[in-house]
Amino acid sequence: MTDVETREQETYDFARIQEKWQKRWEEEGTFQVDPSDRRPRKYVLDMFPYPSGDLHMGHAEAFAFGDIVARYWRQQGFNVLHPIGWDSFGLPAENAAIKRGVDPREWTYANIDQQKTSFKRYGASFDWTRELHTSDPEYYKWNQWLFLKMYEKGLAYRKDSWVNWDPVDQTVLANEQVLPDGTSERSGAMVVKKKLTQWYFKITDYADRLLDDLNQLEGRWPSKVLAMQRNWIGRSTGADVDFEIEGRSEKVTVFTTRPDTLYGVTFMVVAPDSDLAAELVAGSSAEVRMRFQDYLEQVQRTTEIERQDASRPKTGIPLDRYAINPANGERIPIWAADYVLADYGHGAVMAVPAHDQRDLDFARTFGLPIRVVVDTLAPVTGAISLADIENGVDETDTIDPAVTGVALTGDGRLVNSGPLDGLSKQNAIRRIIEQLEAAGTGRAAKTYRLRDWLISRQRFWGTPIPIIHGEDGSLHPVPEDQLPVVLPRTEGLDLKPKGQSPLAAATDWVTVENPVDGSPARRDPDTMDTFVDSSWYFLRFLSANDDSQAFDPEEADRWAPVDQYVGGVEHAILHLLYARFVTKVLFDLGYINFTEPFSAVLNQGMVLMDGEKMSKSRGNLVEFASELTSYGADALRLTMAFAGPPEDDIDWADVSPAGASKFLARAWRLSGDVTSPVDVDWKTGDAALRRATHRFLQDAPGLTEAFKFNVVVARLMELVNTTRKAVDSGVGPADAAVREATEAIALVLSLFAPHVAEEMWERLGYTDSISSHGWRKANPKLLVESQVTAIVQVDGKVRDRVDVAPTISPEDLEALARSSEAVKRAIGDRQVVNVIVRAPRVVNIATKG
Ligand code: ANZ
């Protein structure tokens, strides 16, 4: 370390500066939104934290980015809302409470306090007056209100069906909470299927809108998130086709994306775990019923993931029942097989083995007929399809799928299909749908991968479902004026998971009067999925202290939708999808006038250590609180911003908060060196430094809006160096350009290191907070390299003027001066005894002789 660096480190006292400004912001309510402020608004929101202990480095990163955006818009003259709250219901609190034998409230609110303290130490620019906790009755009352609104509209309903059951946490899970490997997102346990009556939200009614409206978000949401949402909703278009069943009055409907292949159907397959299979088998022989029962038990031990694995050998059993093909009257056998899923389409398929690989594998396993109905060798386009080529088929091969085992999925002309013969695939699809519709045996249809949202949870720490069950099984909404239904205290309650909600055992709580006739009744003992809480919280921030309504529609009109949402990509599907759904519901109910909650989304990457996820068990955990103590909030935030593009992961082993701190000390010291007054005339400033400053001012807004925070920080570092050089060289600390540069540095730095920026601003002679001070506009005239005129004197007399760049070095200027013909003439044959160069303006040559 050089002497200068030592001195800088000694005097830059980040802890003192941090404390001073945090206190001032709090006292002056600097980030509190003024409702009467008429300036244009911006709503900047970070995904609110779950209070599982103190904040961690991931929070430090995400909230640094959110704060950069909020501070940026504030400095651009917007009235910015940047609130904070806690997503404070949920299982971790409950599990911790069980382990320690305390009320989940204690654990939750102690953690909230701790996180809150850390946020304040981090200098986050929140409007604390709008703080909310979803576990407060003042908040969850409105979850119950929302539930009742949805119930009135038929969007909340109960049904009996196979659900995902987490055997460790002893609760059901939404499809979204089951990981691709079939384990629970929460407990890691292998999820099993259980038949239960549960509450659902009818998100499938909104499938088309949820899909189509994604187009509006193109370019403003990460494309990866858009793709994940599209995929999750998974719309398929095709037709529903009704098949008559021998000996049964009701028809069976199947969904198909390839109605053109109807003449190639050689059997039908139903999902063994569907109601349909049970009904069909009920009409079969005792032997078939027994074999079916065995098969069903085997299937129930199989995960959904395994069932969808195309490479798994096919299993199934014939049901000894027959269906009639509506197109050609053919009689086809019905099988049950687990590759058909009960809850997709109608839980039954028309099998076309020649053109569907799963059906072909099945047909070949069980010796069922295979009939080609699309001649992919008489193609419409004159070539075999790409899919065929990928499957290893070329025109010289035999392409009989019964021989090759490869289904023909490409385009071609229809054959063996009666009136469809000769048509292309697309035309055949159109024609057959027309024919089915005319005959009343089918229709155009769409199917979605998206399932209704299962919201019941058999756990304590959540929002009670505001429904009362009459003794006769009738359902009664809790009257709105009796909301909230408040959770009971936990004394005397056993919270341990046991397959039904612990609330069922809270006798006093659960026993109520039937609101209709006063007869004995029971509260619904289940609580809501906590994703309900977070599906609308961004609206609650707008009226966080209003106990007369969930949110004020006028405030929603003013502030929403959220202009910039910041959070982790782990919420790409669940939370964002549910919030989008609830927003559309509230729109339909007339409470809001927009249909998408988040106009723009930024996903931050993860903070890793040595290439791995940080965790206590790995022993590579970096504690946010201790980093904060060692380096201070400003250095940590700056480190996050400087590490790389915000979407990329940050490896904490590769970054240097100590380096960031050193840089901040250098910047801070500049502000102490400036000696010109606040009202100095910029125009008198050094041209080269001014140009550097204005180039920086020119680029900084665009870079910030494009989230290129790391580039902005790099440019800041450059400008600090340039300014330091100017101060220490001929330009000097009194030059107006030094003040101009230092002010620009402080203003932009306040996005990343707000405390030191405030301190610099004060040292520069200002009394207002830098946080709302506008950035200076770049002056286009100053951006181009200008020329200055240097005068060359010989023995006190001006002999020449030369135009030079303001950045010219003294050596170059002297050489240029000496090469001038006029100067050479003036010197003549005299001897040069002294040359004084003051680049870029003056060269004094003294001679004798
Ligand atoms: C006949 C057919 C012929 C089909 C053909 C495909 C190709 P996507 O695109 O994923 O929506 N199917 C329908 N319901 C099913 C269920 N419950 N479980 C498993 N498979 C099911 O898939 C739609 C296709 O998947 C449907 O079109 C049906 O098979 C099958 F050459 O019908 B197809």
Side-chain angles (χ1 to χ4, degrees), residues 11-27 31 71 116-124 624-638 657 661 664 668 752-760 762:
T11 46
Y12 169 63
D13 182 354
F14 68 77
R16 185 192 61 78
I17 293 174
Q18 197 169 300
E19 217 171 288
K20 168 177 161 187
W21 290 100
Q22 287 172 7
K23 194 158 157 260
R24 181 113 25 120
W25 293 333
E26 179 130 18
E27 281 166 5
F31 305 114
R71 287 177 182 274
K116 190 169 168 177
T117 307
S118 294
F119 271 136
K120 292 201 166 170
R121 282 180 73 203
Y122 203 39
F624 172 62
S626 65
E627 294 292 287
L628 202 49
T629 306
S630 310
Y631 304 107
D634 285 342
L636 279 197
R637 288 157 161 264
L638 190 81
S661 187
L664 292 175
W668 171 81
F752 311 101
H755 309 87
V756 72
E758 290 274 23
E759 187 73 11
M760 288 173 72
E762 190 179 69

Side-chain angles (χ1 to χ4, degrees), residues 259 305 353 361 397 410 431 471 532 542 544 601 603 630 662 673 682 793 819:
I305 309 298
D361 294 342
D397 284 341
R431 180 75 60 83
E471 274 184 320
V532 176
L542 308 180
V601 170
N603 288 143
S630 310
K662 238 182 198 176
D673 288 349
W682 301 127
Q793 296 185 327
S819 67

Side-chain angles (χ1 to χ4, degrees), residues 236 255-258 261 339-352 355-356 358-359 447:
S236 291
F255 171 74
T256 176
T257 48
R258 293 289 307 274
T261 62
Y339 75 96
V340 174
L341 305 174
D343 63 355
Y344 188 72
H346 303 286
V349 308
M350 55 177 236
V352 187
H355 303 289
D356 181 280
R358 295 160 299 179
D359 297 343
T447 288

Side-chain angles (χ1 to χ4, degrees), residues 647 701-709:
E647 311 81 23
L703 289 169
T704 309
E705 286 176 36
F707 308 127
K708 294 189 174 159
F709 307 142

Side-chain angles (χ1 to χ4, degrees), residues 94 97 101-106 460-461 487-495 502-503:
E94 193 162 337
V102 297
D103 194 300
R105 289 175 183 87
E106 279 176 37
F460 173 83
W461 193 229
L487 282 173
R489 304 297 309 176
T490 53
E491 284 95 55
L493 268 193
D494 180 11
L495 298 186
L503 288 171

Side-chain angles (χ1 to χ4, degrees), residues 633-656:
D634 285 342
L636 279 197
R637 288 157 161 264
L638 190 81
T639 304
M640 295 292 182
F642 188 47
E647 311 81 23
D648 288 5
D649 291 345
I650 299 176
D651 195 323
W652 204 245
D654 299 339
V655 298
S656 170

Side-chain angles (χ1 to χ4, degrees), residues 600-715:
V601 170
L602 171 65
N603 288 143
Q604 82 278 1
M606 290 203 301
V607 186
L608 308 173
M609 188 64 189
D610 296 317
E612 288 191 72
K613 235 179 135 159
M614 285 187 191
S615 77
K616 247 187 215 141
S617 55
R618 283 204 184 88
N620 65 352
L621 190 76
V622 177
E623 302 263 8
F624 172 62
S626 65
E627 294 292 287
L628 202 49
T629 306
S630 310
Y631 304 107
D634 285 342
L636 279 197
R637 288 157 161 264
L638 190 81
T639 304
M640 295 292 182
F642 188 47
E647 311 81 23
D648 288 5
D649 291 345
I650 299 176
D651 195 323
W652 204 245
D654 299 339
V655 298
S656 170
S661 187
K662 238 182 198 176
F663 161 71
L664 292 175
R666 281 170 72 78
W668 171 81
R669 198 161 68 92
L670 274 182
S671 65
D673 288 349
V674 171
T675 56
S676 56
V678 167
D679 57 0
V680 70
D681 181 6
W682 301 127
K683 285 197 226 58
T684 65
D686 174 75
L689 181 55
R690 291 203 77 194
R691 191 171 58 254
T693 303
H694 282 259
R695 282 187 173 169
F696 171 73
L697 289 172
Q698 167 84 354
D699 297 343
L703 289 169
T704 309
E705 286 176 36
F707 308 127
K708 294 189 174 159
F709 307 142
N710 56 326
V711 182
V712 180
V713 174
R715 296 285 301 272

